[in-house]
Amino acid sequence: MANLKFLFSFIILFLLISAILGGKQSMADVNVIRVGVVLDLNSTVGEMAESYISMAVSDFYAVNANYQTRLTLFTRDSKDDVVGAACAALDLMKNKKVHAIIGPQRSAQAKFVASLGEKAQVPILSFSATSPFLSPNYSPFFIQTTQDDSGQVKAITSLVQAYGWREVIPIYEDTDYGNGLILHLKDAFQEVDVRFPYRSLIHPSSKDSDILEELKKLKAMQSKIFLMHMTASLGSKLFVLVKNSGMMSEGYAWIITQGLSSLLNPIDSKIMDSMQGVLGIRPYIPISTNVEDFERRLAKNFTSSGKANLFGFRAYDTIWALPMAVEKANINECKLDLAAIGVSEMGQRLLNTIRSTEFKGLSGYFPFEIFNVIGNTERIIGYWNPKKERLSREADDNSTTEIGAYSISKEILKQPIWPGDITNQPKKLRIGVPSFFGFNEFLKVEWHPDQNDKPKISGFSIDLFHAVLDMLPFPLPHEFMPYVNQHRQSAGTYDELLYQIKLKNFDAVVGDTTIVANRSSYVDFTLPYYESGVSMVVSMKDNEKQNMWIFLKPLSWDLWLAIGAVSIFIGLVTWVLEHRVNTKFRGPPDQQIGTIFLFSFATLTSSHREKVVNNWSRFMLIIWAFMVLILTQSYTASLTSMLTVQQLKPEFVDVTVINMNGYFVGYHEDSFVRELLVKQLNINESKLKPYRTPEEYHEALSNGSHNGGVAVIFDEIPYIRLFLSKYGSRYAMVGPIYKTDGFGFAFPLKSPLVSYISRAILNVTQDKDKMTTIMRKYFASQTTCVDGSSAEISSYSPSLGVYSFGGLFIIVGVASVCSLLIYVAKFLHFHWPASNIIPTKGSFWLRLIELVKHFDQKDLYRCPFRRNESKLNPTISSLEGFGASPSIESIDYEEKHSRASSEGADNVAIDENEEIFSSRHGDTSIDVASLL
């Protein structure tokens, strides 16, 4: 037995010696390539990477034993410092004469080392420096063997869109690593109308007191959605301080990027406890046979947790890629003189070979997974596929939906648990609503103790806001918060309510808030959803029936005066046309003046007795009779209406009357109307009385200014219409309208929600059916009142004016003037030559006087005068019939007027068989009365 043991031991020793000698012989046949490794060996990533790199070298050459090259690794500690990393890289180049360097870890270190590698033409490969600034365009000898941070930008943007957040505050470290991602995120967020209201920079060397001061500032801000982008060391410390500051409670939301989320596994329980409810994004690593085998061997050989880690896989794959490239490049061990950081002879060839090397490693190229930190684990709630650019609940998204048509709804994702151990989405929009008693149709706040002491809020403004939210392309969680004090009474005015947005006590205000200029200095309003303006309401009085002068009311004073003036003018023209041919228009001067005025006004009442014989008079009076007929009918209709229909008249319509009479003025309490009355209308503040409800309006106006009430109430038109719908028969809206921009919703300045809400308001208000449904629900009585009666009066003018009959006045005036001018022209034509008997030395005035004398004489050659004189002097007629000779005076008179025998022959109607204007068939002269 002892001999067998001795023999067995001898065989084993022989085989071992042979293997050692054979290994030495084989190592002598391979080409050793020096590669440097720069890591922060005191960090989690550094320790893990060192383990993965060691396993990668072993695994690679175990599979590829026939390779003629072997990597020899020289590891240096960067000591978490940029200068330390540079010194380590310089040492490897000068003293170890390496052909390539793996590392360093951080982007700031990699940027400095990359410049050294470019000068020495030594490729620098980093598996953890993810800054987008480290581009081959700037550092050609720097190779990122991992995806840079810009790759996760779209995934983060889609997540923010899914939950409808419009404002996100980034918290990032003040390094190249932190700044690189934020610049890309800012551009991506702007495309979807998400903004950064504030950016918080934390330097890696910041003290806890400095970080706490910054967190205090963040806690006071309105937005409670935070995006953290920083390394594991700084992020872990920050989350502990965040929890101690009370910012991991209900209402907050935290998102972490892949730089921190990929390292959650090694983090201790205290840090994990401070991250409860956090959402994270990181590349998804599917579980495969190779991954499971790797984890088993990693757990067996090292003290790590044994669970796959992205950075470890990237380091592992980097080591596998490098020896492949070295073998392809056919690099031989050569003497490199880099004492003065010279140029590597093989650097460019190796760089080109590395860039052209492709293989599928453990990490691969997979979707991003979205997880939720719960307890000591991470629960996957969804995925984001970079190829299809959409969210999905499963990693293997085989949906056939077209690219670009994906949904961004949060319903695709599983329900997360938010900070504070709640399922309700944080960052509900805190919407302040006014709580005023009075016009409840717009907004009503009711408190019910049996409903967990939560108010019930309803009204037109609330229903319309909900309709607007339905039009938004994203969800908008919100909570209505009445602006009340501890006694559930209104806590202030509308201006004070809106100012709460600036104080960050509310995120928005929804209600019957009016858009005015001074408010826009601290809030942004949406487009108006309801038109408005300021006007006044006064009492109506009905005392016209008891007015003894009511018969004058149908026509305005200017119309009465115009009728009187035109009547006198018509009488005067008629007198001129009829004076020489009509005995009714002759006589003593006082009688003729009386005839002019009597005839003028008698035609209005059809009571005149004078008959006209001149055709031009008849023409003029026919037109005047037509106008009188229209005036009479209009007057009769208007007076009848006044006497039979109730006539309501505002007590006054002019704003200036208020100050002149010292009236008391009412206004809507807590509204901006008070400021308008004082500053624009200059009404004394001592004359102002505030009211809230329509009932108070009614009582104040009923009492009047002298009985403890008011004479007028100023308010916005929507409230006035509601008031008139209840008491419209006794009051009216009168006077000018002071324009405002209407009712709108208020948000913080520069809020991205304003544009979305405004567009949704347009869609709702332009939907006739939807608006009609909402309006009828709250304003049915108002619609009936406004449609059924004219309660709104801008000016009160019940009397008919001159302008209404201006056309008739013009026609009558033109007809009268034309008739007069034609008559005067004919008169001058026949009688101006007769005035030539005056000596040439006579003046123009003498001739004019002679013409006046002619005008005042009877025209005896007119048939009316001949017939009349025959009746008055029958003897003369008989003598003429028997051939008696006329007297000398008659002969002289006849000769004198022989030239005028045909004057106006067409102006007088003559009947040769019967007496002019009187025959057996009746009087043929025109009777104006019959026309009227």
Side-chain angles (χ1 to χ4, degrees):
M1 189 69 180
N3 293 332
L4 289 175
K5 289 182 179 180
F6 177 76
L7 179 62
F8 183 72
S9 300
F10 178 76
I11 293 173
I12 292 175
L13 180 62
F14 177 78
L15 292 175
L16 182 61
I17 294 172
S18 299
I20 293 174
L21 292 176
K24 289 182 178 181
Q25 185 178 359
S26 61
M27 288 297 294
D29 296 334
V30 298
N31 185 16
V32 177
I33 303 299
R34 298 169 177 267
V35 175
V37 178
V38 179
L39 298 172
D40 179 12
L41 299 178
N42 293 324
S43 67
T44 302
V45 176
E47 293 177 357
M48 176 185 57
E50 187 178 24
S51 303
Y52 279 66
I53 290 173
S54 178
M55 282 190 62
V57 173
S58 253
D59 292 346
F60 180 83
Y61 288 113
V63 176
N64 301 283
N66 59 333
Y67 269 39
Q68 297 300 313
T69 56
R70 290 289 187 276
L71 298 185
T72 299
L73 303 181
F74 298 91
T75 303
R76 296 290 185 270
D77 186 6
S78 66
K79 298 180 181 180
D80 193 21
D81 183 65
V82 174
V83 178
C87 292
L90 190 60
D91 175 65
L92 290 171
M93 293 178 187
K94 290 175 59 177
N95 300 325
K96 298 301 180 181
K97 299 177 176 57
V98 295
H99 290 79
I101 294 177
I102 298 174
Q105 290 176 211
R106 303 185 184 279
S107 297
Q109 299 171 354
K111 182 179 180 180
F112 201 97
V113 172
S115 62
L116 296 177
E118 181 181 1
K119 187 172 184 179
Q121 294 192 3
V122 174
I124 309 296
L125 293 81
S126 178
F127 58 87
S128 59
T130 57
S131 173
F133 292 151
L134 298 172
S135 169
N137 297 328
Y138 302 107
S139 303
F141 276 81
F142 181 80
I143 301 174
Q144 282 179 313
T145 59
T146 184
Q147 194 174 22
D148 65 37
D149 287 332
S150 62
Q152 60 183 320
V153 167
K154 290 186 177 180
I156 296 173
T157 304
S158 296
L159 181 62
V160 171
Q161 282 186 282
Y163 286 102
W165 294 320
R166 299 290 106 189
E167 293 184 337
V168 177
I169 297 179
I171 305 176
Y172 57 101
E173 65 177 51
D174 191 11
T175 61
D176 289 342
Y177 166 74
N179 293 317
L181 175 68
I182 299 304
L183 292 178
H184 285 76
L185 270 178
K186 181 181 178 181
D187 295 337
F189 278 9
Q190 285 180 347
E191 293 180 1
V192 294
D193 289 336
V194 178
R195 71 185 187 101
F196 292 153
Y198 177 78
R199 288 189 285 183
S200 176
L201 281 77
I202 308 293
H203 196 272
S205 62
S206 298
K207 299 179 181 179
D208 289 355
S209 59
D210 297 332
I211 297 177
L212 287 173
E213 187 67 27
E214 181 68 15
L215 291 177
K216 182 179 178 181
K217 184 189 303 182
L218 295 175
K219 189 175 182 180
M221 291 187 176
Q222 190 173 13
S223 180
K224 305 298 180 183
I225 311 301
F226 300 101
L227 173 67
M228 185 180 291
H229 176 62
M230 53 186 57
T231 57
S233 57
L234 182 58
S236 301
K237 179 174 69 173
L238 183 62
F239 266 118
V240 174
L241 297 176
V242 166
K243 183 177 182 181
N244 294 337
S245 300
M247 297 176 66
M248 292 300 295
S249 57
E250 182 178 354
Y252 289 88
W254 293 84
I255 303 173
I256 57 176
T257 60
Q258 69 176 28
L260 181 56
S261 60
S262 299
L263 295 173
L264 287 182
N265 294 329
I267 296 178
D268 60 35
S269 59
K270 180 181 179 181
I271 298 175
M272 289 292 288
D273 183 61
S274 66
M275 297 176 64
Q276 298 302 300
V278 170
L279 295 183
I281 292 179
R282 64 188 175 194
Y284 167 63
I285 302 176
I287 302 300
S288 63
T289 303
N290 292 335
V291 172
E292 290 178 344
D293 178 66
F294 178 82
E295 288 179 347
R296 283 194 299 268
R297 291 187 293 109
L298 184 66
K300 180 178 179 181
N301 297 329
F302 300 96
T303 59
S304 64
S305 63
K307 190 173 181 179
N309 181 278
L310 176 65
F311 287 117
F313 282 156
R314 297 295 188 193
Y316 186 89
D317 290 343
T318 300
I319 292 299
W320 273 67
L322 184 58
M324 289 182 185
V326 169
E327 186 75 13
K328 291 179 182 179
N330 193 22
I331 296 178
N332 297 318
E333 181 68 23
C334 59
K335 294 182 180 180
L336 303 176
D337 185 12
L338 296 176
I341 314 182
V343 177
S344 172
E345 298 177 0
M346 299 296 178
Q348 187 64 51
R349 187 196 306 177
L350 178 59
L351 176 67
N352 296 335
T353 308
I354 293 174
R355 292 192 182 280
S356 63
T357 301
E358 294 183 1
F359 80 103
K360 184 177 181 180
L362 290 177
S363 57
Y365 184 76
F366 301 104
F368 286 92
E369 62 182 9
I370 304 169
F371 64 90
N372 181 211
V373 178
I374 303 175
N376 292 324
T377 60
E378 307 97 51
R379 173 173 169 262
I380 306 301
I381 64 173
Y383 300 87
W384 188 82
N385 192 313
K387 292 183 178 180
K388 296 184 177 181
E389 293 189 347
R390 59 168 165 239
L391 295 172
S392 62
R393 185 165 290 195
E394 303 298 334
D396 52 344
D397 180 19
N398 297 320
S399 173
T400 58
T401 305
E402 295 181 4
I403 297 176
Y406 65 94
S407 172
I408 58 171
S409 173
K410 65 179 180 181
E411 305 301 328
I412 297 177
L413 305 175
K414 298 176 183 178
Q415 175 64 53
I417 304 298
W418 301 99
D421 197 22
I422 61 172
T423 57
N424 293 329
Q425 181 180 336
K427 186 48 183 176
K428 284 186 176 180
L429 212 62
R430 299 171 302 165
I431 299 178
V433 295
S435 180
F436 299 110
F437 298 101
F439 298 94
N440 295 328
E441 289 83 356
F442 282 99
L443 199 143
K444 184 178 182 181
V445 178
E446 299 176 285
W447 298 88
H448 298 285
D450 57 340
Q451 297 181 358
N452 297 325
D453 207 30
K454 290 186 177 180
K456 178 183 177 181
I457 302 175
S458 59
F460 171 77
S461 298
I462 300 300
D463 284 10
L464 191 134
F465 182 71
H466 285 148
V468 168
L469 294 185
D470 293 338
M471 293 288 181
L472 294 179
F474 51 83
L476 189 62
H478 61 278
E479 179 183 6
F480 291 118
M481 303 173 64
Y483 184 51
V484 295
N485 54 26
Q486 58 183 357
H487 303 294
R488 295 180 178 174
Q489 302 296 323
S490 176
T493 65
Y494 280 89
D495 288 338
E496 293 170 343
L497 168 61
L498 291 170
Y499 201 76
Q500 299 303 309
I501 296 178
K502 184 176 183 180
L503 298 178
K504 301 178 181 177
N505 295 326
F506 292 133
D507 301 321
V509 168
V510 169
D512 47 348
T513 50
T514 306
I515 304 172
V516 291
N518 65 314
R519 294 173 177 175
S520 63
S521 62
Y522 48 87
V523 295
D524 274 348
F525 285 100
T526 62
L527 291 177
Y529 66 86
Y530 200 82
E531 293 183 354
S532 184
V534 177
S535 189
M536 63 180 182
V537 178
V538 297
S539 299
M540 301 288 285
K541 60 181 180 179
D542 181 21
N543 58 353
E544 294 295 346
K545 295 179 182 180
Q546 291 74 36
N547 188 353
M548 61 184 297
W549 302 102
I550 191 174
F551 67 91
L552 296 175
K553 292 293 183 180
L555 306 182
S556 61
W557 284 108
D558 55 351
L559 183 56
W560 280 118
L561 294 175
I563 292 174
V566 174
S567 298
I568 295 173
F569 178 73
I570 292 295
L572 182 61
V573 173
T574 304
W575 177 84
V576 172
L577 297 176
E578 297 291 329
H579 179 67
R580 302 190 70 236
V581 297
N582 194 336
T583 58
K584 300 295 184 180
F585 292 86
R586 297 188 65 83
D590 57 343
Q591 181 179 350
Q592 294 185 50
I593 294 174
T595 300
I596 291 174
F597 283 93
L598 180 63
F599 182 83
S600 301
F601 294 101
T603 55
L604 295 174
T605 59
S606 304
S607 60
H608 65 285
R609 297 180 180 180
E610 295 80 2
K611 296 180 180 180
V612 295
V613 298
N614 192 304
N615 286 337
W616 290 111
S617 300
R618 294 174 180 178
F619 167 73
M620 178 185 66
L621 290 177
I622 287 174
I623 298 177
W624 171 242
F626 177 71
M627 179 175 179
V628 170
L629 177 64
I630 294 177
L631 287 172
T632 304
Q633 296 296 330
S634 301
Y635 174 85
T636 303
S638 181
L639 182 61
T640 302
S641 175
M642 289 184 177
L643 294 175
T644 58
V645 181
Q646 184 183 23
Q647 295 292 320
L648 299 177
K649 176 183 177 181
E651 292 187 354
F652 60 90
V653 297
D654 194 351
V655 178
T656 58
V657 175
I658 299 174
N659 286 329
M660 290 174 57
N661 297 327
Y663 289 147
F664 283 96
V665 177
Y667 67 94
H668 194 176
E669 187 174 5
D670 296 326
S671 72
F672 73 97
V673 177
R674 177 186 176 88
E675 184 178 359
L676 181 145
L677 295 175
V678 174
K679 293 185 177 181
Q680 293 190 28
L681 302 184
N682 299 319
I683 296 178
N684 195 323
E685 292 190 38
S686 62
K687 296 294 183 180
L688 299 179
K689 292 184 178 182
Y691 299 101
R692 286 184 180 274
T693 66
E695 292 74 20
E696 291 179 355
Y697 283 14
H698 171 59
E699 182 180 358
L701 288 171
S702 298
N703 293 335
S705 183
H706 301 294
N707 296 316
V710 295
V712 59
I713 287 181
F714 281 85
D715 205 349
E716 296 179 76
I717 294 177
Y719 304 129
I720 292 178
R721 288 176 176 168
L722 287 173
F723 172 70
L724 294 178
S725 68
K726 298 180 180 180
Y727 306 100
S729 60
R730 300 187 56 182
Y731 309 101
M733 183 172 72
V734 299
I737 295 177
Y738 302 94
K739 185 66 177 176
T740 63
D741 287 337
F743 292 164
F745 304 132
F747 290 87
L749 291 174
K750 300 181 180 180
S751 172
L753 287 174
V754 173
S755 59
Y756 283 98
I757 298 293
S758 295
R759 283 192 290 269
I761 287 174
L762 289 178
N763 291 330
V764 172
T765 54
Q766 292 176 4
D767 189 333
K768 184 177 180 180
D769 295 336
K770 185 174 294 186
M771 283 300 296
T772 301
T773 302
I774 301 176
M775 294 284 288
R776 285 179 178 174
K777 182 178 179 181
Y778 296 100
F779 306 131
S781 60
Q782 175 186 331
T783 304
T784 302
C785 173
V786 173
D787 293 341
S789 64
S790 179
E792 301 176 17
I793 304 175
S794 59
S795 64
Y796 188 78
S797 181
S799 302
L800 299 174
V802 174
Y803 188 78
S804 303
F805 304 96
L808 289 174
F809 279 114
I810 292 174
I811 293 173
V812 171
V814 171
S816 303
V817 171
C818 289
S819 299
L820 180 62
L821 291 178
I822 293 174
Y823 178 81
V824 171
K826 284 189 174 184
F827 178 79
L828 293 177
H829 174 72
F830 286 105
H831 292 283
W832 185 263
S835 64
N836 291 331
I837 61 176
I838 299 175
T840 56
K841 295 182 179 180
S843 66
F844 170 78
W845 292 107
L846 293 176
R847 291 191 178 190
L848 185 60
I849 293 172
E850 183 66 20
L851 287 175
V852 171
K853 290 180 180 180
H854 278 292
F855 175 76
D856 189 51
Q857 294 174 357
K858 293 181 180 181
D859 190 355
L860 296 178
Y861 285 88
R862 299 297 176 184
C863 290
F865 286 124
R866 286 185 178 183
R867 185 76 63 176
N868 290 339
E869 293 201 5
S870 294
K871 291 181 180 180
L872 294 174
N873 302 293
T875 304
I876 297 176
S877 300
S878 301
L879 292 174
E880 289 179 356
F882 286 103
S885 300
S887 63
I888 299 302
E889 290 81 0
S890 299
I891 294 175
D892 293 339
Y893 185 85
E894 183 177 352
E895 290 178 354
K896 184 176 181 180
H897 293 280
S898 60
R899 295 182 59 87
S901 60
S902 62
E903 175 195 344
D906 58 337
N907 290 343
V908 182
I910 303 175
D911 190 337
E912 295 180 354
N913 298 321
E914 302 180 40
E915 182 179 3
I916 303 301
F917 302 109
S918 180
S919 70
R920 64 170 179 248
H921 298 293
D923 191 357
T924 60
S925 64
I926 184 169
D927 188 352
V928 179
S930 65
L931 296 175
L932 300 176

